[in-house]
Coordinates of all heavy atoms in Angstrom, one line a residue:
M1 N -1.8 15.2 3.6 CA -1.5 14.5 2.3 C -2.0 13.1 2.5 O -1.8 12.5 3.5 CB 0.0 14.6 2.1 CG 0.5 13.9 0.8 SD 2.3 13.9 0.5 CE 2.6 15.6 0.2
E2 N -2.6 12.6 1.4 CA -3.1 11.2 1.5 C -1.9 10.2 1.2 O -0.9 10.6 0.6 CB -4.2 11.0 0.5 CG -5.4 11.8 0.8 CD -6.6 11.4 -0.1 OE1 -6.6 10.3 -0.6 OE2 -7.5 12.3 -0.2
I3 N -2.1 9.0 1.6 CA -1.1 7.9 1.4 C -0.7 7.8 -0.1 O 0.5 7.8 -0.4 CB -1.6 6.6 1.9 CG1 -1.7 6.6 3.5 CG2 -0.6 5.5 1.6 CD1 -2.4 5.4 4.1
E4 N -1.7 7.8 -0.9 CA -1.5 7.7 -2.4 C -0.5 8.8 -2.9 O 0.4 8.5 -3.6 CB -2.8 7.7 -3.1 CG -2.7 7.5 -4.6 CD -4.0 7.5 -5.3 OE1 -5.1 7.2 -4.6 OE2 -4.1 7.8 -6.5
E5 N -0.8 10.0 -2.4 CA 0.1 11.1 -2.8 C 1.5 11.0 -2.3 O 2.4 11.3 -2.9 CB -0.6 12.5 -2.3 CG -1.9 12.8 -3.0 CD -2.5 14.0 -2.4 OE1 -1.8 14.9 -1.8 OE2 -3.7 14.2 -2.5
M6 N 1.6 10.5 -1.0 CA 2.9 10.4 -0.4 C 3.7 9.4 -1.2 O 4.9 9.6 -1.4 CB 2.8 9.9 1.1 CG 2.4 10.9 2.0 SD 2.4 10.3 3.7 CE 0.7 10.0 4.0
I7 N 3.1 8.3 -1.6 CA 3.8 7.3 -2.4 C 4.2 7.8 -3.8 O 5.4 7.7 -4.2 CB 2.9 6.0 -2.6 CG1 2.6 5.4 -1.2 CG2 3.5 5.0 -3.5 CD1 1.5 4.3 -1.2
K8 N 3.3 8.5 -4.4 CA 3.6 9.1 -5.7 C 4.7 10.1 -5.6 O 5.5 10.2 -6.6 CB 2.3 9.7 -6.3 CG 1.3 8.8 -6.8 CD 0.1 9.5 -7.4 CE -1.0 8.6 -7.9 NZ -2.1 9.4 -8.4
D9 N 4.8 10.8 -4.5 CA 5.8 11.9 -4.3 C 7.1 11.3 -3.7 O 8.0 12.1 -3.4 CB 5.2 13.0 -3.5 CG 4.1 13.8 -4.1 OD1 4.0 13.7 -5.4 OD2 3.4 14.5 -3.4
H10 N 7.1 10.0 -3.5 CA 8.3 9.4 -3.0 C 8.7 9.9 -1.6 O 9.9 10.2 -1.3 CB 9.5 9.4 -3.9 CG 9.2 8.8 -5.3 ND1 9.3 7.5 -5.5 CD2 8.9 9.4 -6.4 CE1 9.0 7.2 -6.7 NE2 8.7 8.4 -7.3
C11 N 7.7 10.2 -0.8 CA 7.9 10.7 0.6 C 8.2 9.5 1.5 O 7.6 8.5 1.4 CB 6.6 11.4 1.1 SG 6.2 12.9 0.2
G12 N 9.2 9.7 2.4 CA 9.4 8.8 3.4 C 10.0 7.5 3.0 O 10.8 7.4 2.0
T13 N 9.7 6.4 3.7 CA 10.3 5.1 3.5 C 9.2 4.0 3.4 O 8.3 4.0 4.2 CB 11.2 4.7 4.7 OG1 12.2 5.7 4.8 CG2 11.9 3.3 4.4
I14 N 9.3 3.2 2.4 CA 8.3 2.1 2.3 C 8.9 0.9 3.0 O 10.0 0.4 2.7 CB 8.0 1.8 0.8 CG1 7.4 3.0 0.1 CG2 7.1 0.5 0.7 CD1 7.3 2.9 -1.4
I15 N 8.1 0.3 3.9 CA 8.5 -0.9 4.7 C 7.5 -2.0 4.4 O 6.3 -1.8 4.6 CB 8.5 -0.7 6.2 CG1 9.5 0.4 6.5 CG2 8.9 -2.0 6.9 CD1 9.6 0.8 8.0
D16 N 8.0 -3.1 3.9 CA 7.1 -4.3 3.6 C 7.3 -5.2 4.8 O 8.4 -5.6 5.1 CB 7.6 -5.0 2.3 CG 6.7 -6.0 1.8 OD1 6.2 -6.8 2.7 OD2 6.6 -6.2 0.6
V17 N 6.2 -5.5 5.5 CA 6.3 -6.3 6.7 C 6.0 -7.8 6.5 O 5.8 -8.6 7.4 CB 5.3 -5.8 7.8 CG1 5.7 -4.3 8.1 CG2 3.9 -5.8 7.4
R18 N 6.0 -8.2 5.2 CA 5.8 -9.7 4.9 C 7.1 -10.4 5.3 O 8.1 -9.9 5.6 CB 5.5 -9.9 3.4 CG 4.1 -9.2 3.0 CD 3.9 -9.4 1.6 NE 4.9 -8.7 0.8 CZ 5.3 -9.0 -0.4 NH1 4.8 -10.1 -1.0 NH2 6.2 -8.3 -1.1
T19 N 7.0 -11.8 5.2 CA 8.1 -12.6 5.4 C 9.2 -12.4 4.3 O 8.8 -12.0 3.2 CB 7.7 -14.1 5.5 OG1 7.3 -14.5 4.1 CG2 6.6 -14.4 6.5
P20 N 10.4 -12.7 4.6 CA 11.5 -12.6 3.6 C 11.1 -13.4 2.3 O 11.4 -13.0 1.2 CB 12.7 -13.2 4.3 CG 12.5 -12.8 5.7 CD 11.0 -13.1 5.9
A21 N 10.6 -14.6 2.5 CA 10.2 -15.4 1.3 C 9.1 -14.7 0.5 O 9.2 -14.7 -0.8 CB 9.7 -16.8 1.8
E22 N 8.2 -14.1 1.1 CA 7.1 -13.4 0.4 C 7.8 -12.2 -0.3 O 7.4 -11.9 -1.5 CB 6.0 -12.9 1.3 CG 5.1 -14.0 1.9 CD 4.2 -13.4 2.9 OE1 4.6 -12.9 3.9 OE2 2.9 -13.5 2.7
F23 N 8.6 -11.5 0.4 CA 9.3 -10.3 -0.2 C 10.1 -10.6 -1.4 O 10.0 -9.9 -2.4 CB 10.2 -9.6 0.9 CG 10.8 -8.3 0.6 CD1 10.0 -7.2 0.6 CD2 12.1 -8.3 0.2 CE1 10.6 -5.9 0.3 CE2 12.7 -7.0 -0.1 CZ 11.9 -5.9 -0.1
I24 N 10.9 -11.7 -1.3 CA 11.7 -12.1 -2.5 C 10.8 -12.5 -3.7 O 11.2 -12.2 -4.8 CB 12.6 -13.3 -2.1 CG1 13.7 -12.8 -1.1 CG2 13.2 -14.0 -3.3 CD1 14.5 -13.9 -0.4
G25 N 9.6 -13.0 -3.4 CA 8.7 -13.4 -4.5 C 8.1 -12.2 -5.3 O 7.5 -12.4 -6.3
G26 N 8.3 -11.0 -4.8 CA 7.8 -9.8 -5.5 C 7.6 -8.7 -4.4 O 7.1 -8.9 -3.4
S27 N 8.1 -7.5 -4.8 CA 8.0 -6.4 -3.8 C 8.1 -5.1 -4.5 O 8.4 -5.0 -5.7 CB 9.2 -6.5 -2.8 OG 10.4 -6.4 -3.4
V28 N 7.9 -4.0 -3.8 CA 8.0 -2.6 -4.3 C 9.5 -2.3 -4.4 O 10.3 -2.5 -3.4 CB 7.3 -1.7 -3.3 CG1 7.5 -0.2 -3.7 CG2 5.8 -2.0 -3.1
V29 N 9.9 -1.7 -5.5 CA 11.3 -1.3 -5.7 C 11.6 -0.3 -4.7 O 10.9 0.7 -4.4 CB 11.5 -0.7 -7.1 CG1 12.9 -0.1 -7.3 CG2 11.2 -1.8 -8.2
G30 N 12.7 -0.5 -4.0 CA 13.2 0.4 -3.0 C 12.6 0.2 -1.6 O 13.0 0.8 -0.6
A31 N 11.7 -0.8 -1.4 CA 11.1 -1.0 -0.1 C 12.1 -1.8 0.7 O 13.0 -2.5 0.3 CB 9.8 -1.9 -0.3
I32 N 12.0 -1.6 2.0 CA 12.8 -2.3 3.0 C 11.9 -3.4 3.6 O 10.8 -3.2 3.9 CB 13.2 -1.3 4.2 CG1 14.1 -0.3 3.6 CG2 13.9 -2.1 5.3 CD1 14.4 0.8 4.6
N33 N 12.5 -4.6 3.7 CA 11.7 -5.7 4.3 C 12.0 -5.8 5.8 O 13.2 -6.1 6.2 CB 12.1 -7.0 3.6 CG 11.3 -8.2 4.1 OD1 11.9 -9.3 4.2 ND2 10.1 -8.1 4.4
I34 N 11.1 -5.5 6.6 CA 11.1 -5.7 8.1 C 9.9 -6.6 8.4 O 8.8 -6.0 8.6 CB 11.2 -4.4 8.9 CG1 12.4 -3.6 8.4 CG2 11.3 -4.7 10.4 CD1 12.5 -2.2 9.1
P35 N 10.0 -7.9 8.5 CA 8.9 -8.7 8.9 C 8.2 -8.3 10.1 O 8.8 -7.8 11.1 CB 9.5 -10.1 9.0 CG 10.7 -10.1 8.2 CD 11.2 -8.7 8.3
L36 N 6.9 -8.4 10.2 CA 6.0 -8.0 11.3 C 6.6 -8.5 12.6 O 6.7 -7.7 13.6 CB 4.6 -8.5 11.1 CG 3.6 -8.1 12.2 CD1 3.5 -6.6 12.4 CD2 2.3 -8.8 12.0
N37 N 7.0 -9.7 12.7 CA 7.5 -10.3 14.0 C 8.8 -9.6 14.4 O 9.2 -9.8 15.6 CB 7.6 -11.8 14.0 CG 8.6 -12.3 13.0 OD1 8.8 -11.7 11.9 ND2 9.3 -13.4 13.3
E38 N 9.5 -9.0 13.5 CA 10.8 -8.3 13.8 C 10.7 -6.8 14.2 O 11.6 -6.2 14.7 CB 11.8 -8.4 12.7 CG 12.2 -9.9 12.4 CD 13.2 -10.0 11.2 OE1 13.8 -8.9 10.8 OE2 13.4 -11.1 10.7
I39 N 9.5 -6.3 14.0 CA 9.3 -4.8 14.3 C 9.7 -4.5 15.7 O 10.5 -3.5 15.8 CB 7.8 -4.4 14.0 CG1 7.4 -4.6 12.6 CG2 7.5 -3.0 14.5 CD1 7.8 -3.6 11.6
P40 N 9.3 -5.2 16.8 CA 9.7 -4.7 18.1 C 11.2 -4.8 18.3 O 11.8 -4.0 19.0 CB 9.0 -5.7 19.0 CG 7.9 -6.2 18.2 CD 8.3 -6.2 16.8
L41 N 11.9 -5.8 17.7 CA 13.3 -5.9 17.8 C 14.1 -4.9 17.0 O 15.3 -4.7 17.3 CB 13.7 -7.3 17.4 CG 13.0 -8.5 18.0 CD1 13.4 -9.8 17.3 CD2 13.3 -8.6 19.5
R42 N 13.5 -4.3 16.0 CA 14.2 -3.4 15.1 C 13.8 -1.9 15.3 O 14.0 -1.1 14.4 CB 14.1 -3.9 13.7 CG 14.8 -5.3 13.6 CD 14.6 -5.9 12.2 NE 15.3 -5.2 11.1 CZ 15.3 -5.5 9.9 NH1 14.6 -6.6 9.5 NH2 15.9 -4.8 9.0
M43 N 13.2 -1.6 16.4 CA 12.6 -0.2 16.6 C 13.7 0.9 16.5 O 13.5 1.9 15.9 CB 11.9 -0.1 17.9 CG 10.5 -0.7 17.9 SD 9.4 -0.1 16.5 CE 9.3 1.7 16.9
E44 N 14.9 0.6 16.9 CA 16.0 1.6 16.8 C 16.3 1.9 15.4 O 16.5 3.1 15.0 CB 17.2 1.2 17.6 CG 17.1 1.2 19.1 CD 16.6 2.6 19.6 OE1 17.1 3.6 19.2 OE2 15.6 2.6 20.4
E45 N 16.4 0.8 14.6 CA 16.6 1.0 13.1 C 15.4 1.8 12.5 O 15.6 2.7 11.7 CB 16.7 -0.4 12.5 CG 16.8 -0.4 11.0 CD 16.7 -1.8 10.4 OE1 16.9 -2.8 11.1 OE2 16.6 -1.9 9.2
I46 N 14.2 1.4 12.9 CA 13.0 2.0 12.3 C 13.0 3.5 12.6 O 12.6 4.3 11.8 CB 11.7 1.3 12.8 CG1 11.7 -0.1 12.2 CG2 10.5 2.1 12.6 CD1 10.6 -1.0 12.8
K47 N 13.4 3.9 13.8 CA 13.4 5.3 14.3 C 14.3 6.1 13.4 O 14.1 7.3 13.3 CB 13.8 5.4 15.7 CG 12.7 4.9 16.7 CD 13.2 5.0 18.1 CE 12.2 4.4 19.1 NZ 12.7 4.4 20.5
E48 N 15.3 5.5 12.8 CA 16.3 6.2 12.0 C 15.9 6.4 10.5 O 16.5 7.2 9.8 CB 17.7 5.5 12.0 CG 18.3 5.4 13.4 CD 18.5 6.8 14.0 OE1 19.0 7.7 13.3 OE2 18.2 6.9 15.3
L49 N 14.9 5.7 10.1 CA 14.4 5.8 8.7 C 13.7 7.1 8.4 O 13.1 7.7 9.3 CB 13.5 4.6 8.4 CG 14.1 3.2 8.5 CD1 13.0 2.2 8.4 CD2 15.2 3.0 7.5
E50 N 13.8 7.5 7.2 CA 13.1 8.8 6.7 C 11.6 8.6 6.9 O 11.0 7.6 6.5 CB 13.5 9.1 5.3 CG 12.9 10.4 4.8 CD 13.2 10.6 3.3 OE1 14.1 10.0 2.8 OE2 12.5 11.5 2.7
K51 N 11.0 9.6 7.5 CA 9.6 9.6 7.8 C 8.8 10.4 6.6 O 9.4 11.2 6.0 CB 9.2 10.2 9.1 CG 10.1 9.8 10.3 CD 9.9 8.3 10.5 CE 10.7 7.8 11.7 NZ 12.2 7.8 11.6
P52 N 7.6 10.1 6.4 CA 6.8 9.1 7.1 C 7.1 7.7 6.6 O 7.7 7.5 5.5 CB 5.3 9.5 6.6 CG 5.5 10.1 5.3 CD 6.8 10.8 5.3
L53 N 6.7 6.7 7.4 CA 6.9 5.3 7.0 C 5.6 4.9 6.4 O 4.5 5.1 6.9 CB 7.1 4.5 8.3 CG 8.3 4.9 9.1 CD1 8.5 3.9 10.3 CD2 9.6 4.9 8.3
I54 N 5.7 4.3 5.2 CA 4.6 3.7 4.4 C 4.7 2.2 4.6 O 5.6 1.6 4.1 CB 4.7 4.1 3.0 CG1 4.9 5.6 2.8 CG2 3.5 3.6 2.2 CD1 3.8 6.5 3.3
L55 N 3.7 1.6 5.2 CA 3.8 0.2 5.5 C 2.9 -0.6 4.6 O 1.8 -0.2 4.3 CB 3.3 -0.1 7.0 CG 4.1 0.8 8.0 CD1 3.3 0.7 9.4 CD2 5.5 0.3 8.2
C56 N 3.4 -1.8 4.1 CA 2.6 -2.6 3.3 C 2.8 -4.1 3.5 O 3.8 -4.4 4.2 CB 2.8 -2.3 1.8 SG 4.5 -2.6 1.2
C57 N 2.0 -4.9 3.1 CA 2.1 -6.4 3.2 C 1.3 -7.0 2.0 O 1.3 -6.5 1.0 CB 1.6 -6.8 4.6 SG -0.2 -6.5 4.9
R58 N 0.7 -8.1 2.3 CA -0.1 -8.8 1.2 C -1.5 -8.2 1.1 O -1.9 -7.9 0.0 CB -0.2 -10.3 1.4 CG -0.9 -11.0 0.3 CD -1.0 -12.5 0.5 NE -1.5 -12.9 1.8 CZ -2.8 -13.0 2.1 NH1 -3.7 -12.7 1.1 NH2 -3.3 -13.4 3.3
S59 N -2.1 -8.0 2.2 CA -3.5 -7.6 2.2 C -3.8 -6.3 2.9 O -4.8 -5.7 2.8 CB -4.4 -8.7 2.8 OG -4.2 -8.8 4.1
G60 N -2.9 -5.9 3.8 CA -3.1 -4.7 4.7 C -3.3 -5.1 6.1 O -3.3 -4.2 7.0
N61 N -3.5 -6.4 6.4 CA -3.7 -6.8 7.8 C -2.4 -6.7 8.6 O -2.4 -6.0 9.7 CB -4.2 -8.3 7.8 CG -4.5 -8.7 9.2 OD1 -4.8 -7.9 10.1 ND2 -4.5 -10.0 9.4
R62 N -1.3 -7.3 8.2 CA -0.1 -7.2 8.9 C 0.5 -5.8 9.0 O 1.0 -5.3 10.0 CB 1.0 -8.1 8.4 CG 0.7 -9.6 8.7 CD 1.7 -10.5 8.0 NE 1.3 -10.7 6.6 CZ 1.9 -11.5 5.7 NH1 3.0 -12.1 6.1 NH2 1.5 -11.6 4.5
S63 N 0.3 -5.0 7.9 CA 0.8 -3.7 7.9 C 0.0 -2.8 8.8 O 0.5 -1.8 9.4 CB 0.9 -3.1 6.5 OG -0.4 -3.2 5.8
G64 N -1.3 -3.2 9.0 CA -2.1 -2.5 10.0 C -1.7 -2.7 11.4 O -1.6 -1.8 12.2
Q65 N -1.3 -4.0 11.7 CA -0.8 -4.3 13.0 C 0.6 -3.5 13.3 O 0.8 -3.0 14.4 CB -0.5 -5.8 13.1 CG -1.8 -6.6 13.1 CD -1.5 -8.1 13.1 OE1 -0.7 -8.6 14.0 NE2 -2.0 -8.8 12.2
A66 N 1.4 -3.5 12.2 CA 2.7 -2.8 12.4 C 2.5 -1.3 12.6 O 3.1 -0.7 13.4 CB 3.5 -3.0 11.1
Q67 N 1.5 -0.7 11.9 CA 1.2 0.7 12.0 C 0.7 1.0 13.5 O 1.2 2.0 14.0 CB 0.1 1.1 11.0 CG -0.2 2.6 10.9 CD -1.2 3.1 11.9 OE1 -2.1 2.4 12.2 NE2 -1.1 4.3 12.3
Q68 N -0.1 0.1 14.0 CA -0.5 0.4 15.4 C 0.6 0.3 16.4 O 0.8 1.2 17.2 CB -1.6 -0.7 15.8 CG -2.9 -0.5 15.1 CD -3.9 -1.5 15.6 OE1 -3.6 -2.5 16.2 NE2 -5.2 -1.3 15.2
Y69 N 1.5 -0.6 16.2 CA 2.7 -0.8 17.1 C 3.6 0.4 16.9 O 4.0 1.0 17.9 CB 3.4 -2.1 16.9 CG 4.5 -2.3 17.8 CD1 4.3 -2.9 19.1 CD2 5.8 -1.9 17.5 CE1 5.3 -3.1 20.0 CE2 6.9 -2.1 18.4 CZ 6.6 -2.7 19.7 OH 7.6 -2.8 20.6
I70 N 4.0 0.7 15.7 CA 5.0 1.8 15.5 C 4.5 3.1 15.9 O 5.2 3.9 16.5 CB 5.4 1.8 14.0 CG1 6.2 0.5 13.7 CG2 6.3 3.0 13.6 CD1 6.4 0.2 12.2
S71 N 3.2 3.4 15.6 CA 2.6 4.7 16.0 C 2.6 4.9 17.5 O 2.6 6.1 17.9 CB 1.3 4.9 15.3 OG 0.3 4.0 15.9
K72 N 2.5 3.9 18.3 CA 2.6 4.0 19.7 C 3.9 4.5 20.2 O 4.0 4.9 21.3 CB 2.2 2.6 20.4 CG 0.8 2.3 20.3 CD 0.5 0.9 21.0 CE -0.9 0.5 20.8 NZ -1.2 -0.8 21.3
N73 N 4.9 4.4 19.3 CA 6.2 4.9 19.6 C 6.4 6.3 19.1 O 7.6 6.8 18.8 CB 7.3 4.0 19.1 CG 7.4 2.7 19.9 OD1 8.1 2.6 20.9 ND2 6.7 1.7 19.4
D74 N 5.3 7.0 18.8 CA 5.4 8.4 18.3 C 6.1 8.6 17.0 O 6.8 9.5 16.8 CB 5.9 9.4 19.3 CG 5.0 9.5 20.5 OD1 3.8 9.4 20.4 OD2 5.5 9.6 21.7
I75 N 6.0 7.6 16.1 CA 6.6 7.6 14.7 C 5.5 7.8 13.7 O 4.5 7.0 13.7 CB 7.4 6.3 14.5 CG1 8.6 6.3 15.5 CG2 7.9 6.3 13.1 CD1 9.3 4.9 15.5
E76 N 5.6 8.7 12.8 CA 4.6 8.9 11.8 C 4.7 7.8 10.8 O 5.7 7.5 10.1 CB 4.9 10.2 11.0 CG 3.8 10.5 10.0 CD 4.1 11.8 9.2 OE1 5.2 12.4 9.3 OE2 3.3 12.2 8.4
C77 N 3.6 7.0 10.7 CA 3.5 5.9 9.8 C 2.1 5.7 9.3 O 1.1 6.1 10.0 CB 4.1 4.6 10.5 SG 3.2 4.1 11.9
Y78 N 2.0 5.0 8.2 CA 0.6 4.8 7.6 C 0.6 3.4 7.0 O 1.5 2.9 6.5 CB 0.4 5.8 6.4 CG 0.5 7.2 6.9 CD1 1.7 7.9 6.9 CD2 -0.6 7.9 7.4 CE1 1.8 9.2 7.3 CE2 -0.5 9.2 7.9 CZ 0.7 9.8 7.8 OH 0.8 11.1 8.3
N79 N -0.6 2.8 7.1 CA -0.9 1.5 6.5 C -1.4 1.7 5.1 O -2.4 2.2 4.8 CB -2.0 0.8 7.3 CG -2.3 -0.6 6.7 OD1 -1.7 -1.1 5.8 ND2 -3.3 -1.2 7.2
A80 N -0.5 1.3 4.1 CA -0.8 1.5 2.7 C -1.5 0.3 2.1 O -1.8 0.2 0.9 CB 0.4 1.8 1.9
G81 N -1.7 -0.8 2.9 CA -2.4 -2.0 2.5 C -1.5 -2.9 1.7 O -0.3 -3.1 2.0
S82 N -2.0 -3.4 0.6 CA -1.2 -4.4 -0.2 C 0.0 -3.7 -0.9 O -0.1 -2.6 -1.4 CB -2.1 -5.0 -1.3 OG -1.4 -5.7 -2.2
W83 N 1.1 -4.5 -1.0 CA 2.3 -4.0 -1.8 C 1.9 -3.8 -3.2 O 2.5 -3.0 -3.9 CB 3.4 -4.9 -1.6 CG 3.3 -6.3 -2.3 CD1 2.7 -7.4 -1.8 CD2 3.8 -6.6 -3.6 NE1 2.8 -8.4 -2.8 CE2 3.5 -7.9 -3.9 CE3 4.5 -5.9 -4.5 CZ2 3.8 -8.5 -5.0 CZ3 4.9 -6.5 -5.7 CH2 4.5 -7.8 -6.0
L84 N 0.9 -4.5 -3.7 CA 0.5 -4.4 -5.1 C -0.1 -3.0 -5.3 O 0.1 -2.4 -6.4 CB -0.5 -5.5 -5.5 CG 0.2 -6.9 -5.6 CD1 -0.9 -7.9 -5.7 CD2 1.2 -7.0 -6.6
D85 N -0.9 -2.5 -4.3 CA -1.4 -1.2 -4.4 C -0.3 -0.1 -4.4 O -0.4 0.8 -5.2 CB -2.4 -0.9 -3.2 CG -3.7 -1.8 -3.3 OD1 -4.0 -2.2 -4.4 OD2 -4.3 -1.9 -2.3
V86 N 0.7 -0.3 -3.6 CA 1.8 0.6 -3.5 C 2.5 0.7 -4.9 O 2.8 1.7 -5.4 CB 2.8 0.2 -2.4 CG1 4.0 1.2 -2.4 CG2 2.1 0.3 -1.0
N87 N 2.7 -0.5 -5.4 CA 3.3 -0.6 -6.8 C 2.5 0.2 -7.8 O 3.0 0.9 -8.7 CB 3.5 -2.0 -7.2 CG 4.9 -2.5 -7.1 OD1 5.8 -1.8 -6.8 ND2 5.1 -3.8 -7.3
F88 N 1.2 0.0 -7.7 CA 0.2 0.7 -8.6 C 0.4 2.2 -8.5 O 0.5 2.9 -9.5 CB -1.2 0.3 -8.4 CG -2.2 1.0 -9.2 CD1 -2.3 0.8 -10.6 CD2 -2.9 2.1 -8.7 CE1 -3.2 1.5 -11.4 CE2 -3.8 2.8 -9.5 CZ -4.0 2.5 -10.8
Y89 N 0.4 2.7 -7.2 CA 0.5 4.1 -7.0 C 1.8 4.7 -7.6 O 1.9 5.7 -8.2 CB 0.4 4.5 -5.5 CG -0.9 4.2 -4.9 CD1 -1.0 3.7 -3.6 CD2 -2.1 4.3 -5.6 CE1 -2.2 3.4 -3.0 CE2 -3.3 4.0 -5.0 CZ -3.4 3.5 -3.7 OH -4.6 3.2 -3.2
L90 N 2.9 3.9 -7.4 CA 4.2 4.3 -7.9 C 4.2 4.4 -9.4 O 4.9 5.2 -10.0 CB 5.3 3.3 -7.4 CG 5.8 3.5 -6.0 CD1 6.8 2.4 -5.6 CD2 6.4 4.9 -5.8
S91 N 3.5 3.5 -10.1 CA 3.4 3.4 -11.5 C 2.6 4.6 -12.1 O 2.7 5.0 -13.2 CB 2.8 2.2 -12.0 OG 1.4 2.1 -11.8
Q92 N 1.9 5.3 -11.2 CA 1.1 6.5 -11.6 C 1.8 7.8 -11.5 O 1.3 8.8 -11.7 CB -0.2 6.6 -10.8 CG -1.1 5.3 -10.8 CD -1.5 5.0 -12.2 OE1 -2.2 5.9 -12.8 NE2 -1.3 3.8 -12.7
T93 N 3.1 7.7 -11.1 CA 3.9 9.0 -11.0 C 4.1 9.6 -12.3 O 4.3 8.9 -13.3 CB 5.2 8.7 -10.2 OG1 6.0 7.8 -11.0 CG2 5.0 8.3 -8.8
D94 N 4.1 10.9 -12.3 CA 4.3 11.7 -13.6 C 5.8 11.8 -13.9 O 6.6 12.0 -13.1 CB 3.6 13.0 -13.5 CG 2.1 12.9 -13.3 OD1 1.5 12.0 -13.8 OD2 1.6 13.7 -12.6

């Protein structure tokens, strides 16, 4: 299943890895904010979230870094790029 389809089908958990200030300024409804620098400290919490994890940020760079780190812990996760793209995919649900 492609990331776009997972988002449209509301599979898993959306994690926004931007800073809290960025997240408050606009985010995906239902997304959890776990800033990139907190990922290592919050791995136990992350392990408990519904999989797959759909990661997003402003451009896809930080979510790509988060995806690399989280996947090394054998957790199914995907870099969905910009949170705006995730919002777009959600708006396309039937």
Side-chain angles (χ1 to χ4, degrees):
M1 182 181 292
E2 292 188 26
I3 294 172
E4 184 177 334
E5 292 174 23
M6 285 187 258
I7 295 167
K8 287 179 181 179
D9 292 343
H10 302 280
C11 294
T13 304
I14 298 171
I15 300 177
D16 189 320
V17 300
R18 296 176 297 152
T19 65
E22 290 174 299
F23 186 76
I24 290 169
S27 61
V28 176
V29 173
I32 297 171
N33 182 220
I34 303 178
L36 179 61
N37 64 327
E38 294 181 15
I39 297 280
L41 306 172
R42 296 175 67 179
M43 282 307 297
E44 289 306 312
E45 174 186 349
I46 291 168
K47 288 176 183 177
E48 298 301 317
L49 297 172
E50 183 181 342
K51 312 301 181 287
L53 304 180
I54 309 297
L55 308 168
C56 64
C57 62
R58 182 178 55 81
S59 67
N61 184 24
R62 286 175 281 181
S63 52
Q65 292 175 54
Q67 189 270 331
Q68 288 180 349
Y69 184 86
I70 293 169
S71 65
K72 287 181 183 175
N73 288 275
D74 295 324
I75 297 171
E76 182 183 9
C77 61
Y78 301 92
N79 179 8
S82 169
W83 72 274
L84 294 170
D85 291 340
V86 175
N87 257 352
F88 175 76
Y89 297 145
L90 283 173
S91 72
Q92 302 300 303
T93 57
D94 298 325

